[in-house]
Amino acid sequence: MIKNYLIAPGPTPVPARVLLASAQPIIHHRTPQFSRIFADAKTGLKEIFQTQQDVLMLAASGTGAMESAVTNLFNPGDQVLVVNGGKFGERWTKLSKTFGLEVVELKVEWGCGARVEDIGKALEAHPRIVGVLVQASETSTTAVHPVKEIAALTRSRDIMLVVDGITAVGVYDVPMDRWGIDALITGSQKALMMPPGLAFIALSARAWERVKNVKTPRFYFDLARERDNLSKDTTAWTPAIALITGLREALLMMREEGLERIFARHARLAAATRAAAAALGLRLVAPEAPSPAVTGIYVPPAVDGKKLVGYLRDRMGITFAGGQDHLAGKIVRIGHLGYVGAYDVVTAVAALEMALRKFGHAVELGRGVAAAEEIFIDALPE
Ligand SMILES: *Cc1c(COP(=O)(O)O)cnc(C)c1O
């Protein structure tokens, strides 16, 4: 037997409480019994999004909610600014172009956060821009973009700020209403501690106004129709009943912990992972703007990162994520979001040390683990 650990930035581990809730016999969705579950989930999601607006639940992976933002907020020919600093930024560009939007791309070096000045300049240079599409946490490069500062630019203008918060919501503070975000998106398989299959999106009041004048064809992801149904505690189409039942339990767990403590826990997990990398003499992919959800670490140049990730997964039972495109084979990404605690990071670092030793890199075993422990021990109760 080999015990498996899922230490990737999504999907993430699902707690037994959530799995058991989802394992209940299926009930019919057009019933008061389901509507009660749905109503609880609806309330819990608003707390996590920090919004007074409705948070819609779509049966889709996160990309479904990204697509719904594009088709419900923009017309063909509309000019949008896409912050492209990685694979998910690239997805905004592809999606926008698919639906006939005119894309102005702000390319950001992988591993860096966007510079607010550059966004301000792009908005000045292109006065027709009606939307800014960005990731809060660019999971592929493990960097964060400065959403709060970007919102300060967009909320005073007639520009929609659309934020992919898929590895940010429920990880660190992204208060939708307070910052003035127009569309905020997440998915079930990241910080919400759920299996994949649900996507969530909330729109600001002014975004809902805009939706009325958008003619881009849409059917399954018609957000106005979804909102009508939400007001009756149901969804337009058959909901992912088992997932929504699990979601209610996951949101209950999050309420029990509280947002402040959730954010502090993720910050600590990330700090410990970074400290371990430093102690092992390994370089971070995003040293200036590291995500609290996932840490990217360069493997030593002599080590084949693809083989390392494969060995960790197939022989050691540890699933990390590798790198994509030009970072393929060069980095490992250690996820620490959702149902994750100190000893998951300790396990991850111990496994990385051992695997690196196996691949011929000189590692003093336990050095990274000790650095992580130094961070965690400070947070132990007296
Ligand atoms: C996981 C993720 C997505 C969504 O991908 P899906 O595979 O469609 O769930 C989008 N953006 C970011 C930043 C992500 O981390």
Side-chain angles (χ1 to χ4, degrees), residues 134-281:
V134 65
Q135 271 60 44
S137 162
E138 176 46 91
T139 318
S140 67
T141 72
T142 70
V144 292
H145 294 309
V147 169
K148 183 183 184 185
E149 289 75 13
I150 299 171
L153 296 177
T154 52
R155 67 169 179 253
S156 56
R157 297 170 159 97
D158 197 14
I159 297 176
M160 294 286 118
L161 176 58
V162 180
V163 177
D164 165 1
I166 297 184
T167 52
V169 174
V171 176
Y172 60 97
D173 199 21
V174 187
M176 174 169 168
D177 290 359
R178 207 158 3 109
W179 286 359
I181 295 168
D182 293 295
L184 185 61
I185 292 162
T186 195
S188 55
Q189 80 274 29
K190 310 274 169 107
L192 293 189
M193 313 186 287
M194 302 257 310
L198 288 177
F200 310 99
I201 179 165
L203 300 185
S204 68
R206 68 175 193 163
W208 280 116
E209 278 307 305
R210 197 180 159 81
V211 167
K212 293 179 190 158
N213 301 316
V214 170
K215 301 281 181 280
T216 302
R218 51 191 187 263
F219 186 80
Y220 187 73
F221 294 132
D222 183 339
L223 296 183
R225 188 200 311 246
E226 223 30 90
R227 183 160 76 150
D228 285 348
N229 280 275
L230 190 96
S231 70
K232 295 175 255 165
D233 289 327
T234 189
T235 50
W237 323 112
T238 305
I241 297 167
L243 289 177
I244 290 177
T245 308
L247 171 66
R248 176 174 67 168
E249 193 64 26
L251 291 167
L252 197 59
M253 288 178 69
M254 293 179 84
R255 187 185 292 159
E256 286 165 8
E257 186 175 5
L259 279 186
E260 290 300 316
R261 274 192 296 256
I262 288 174
F263 299 155
R265 174 167 56 85
H266 284 98
R268 197 159 52 238
L269 295 168
T273 309
R274 293 195 297 266
L280 292 170

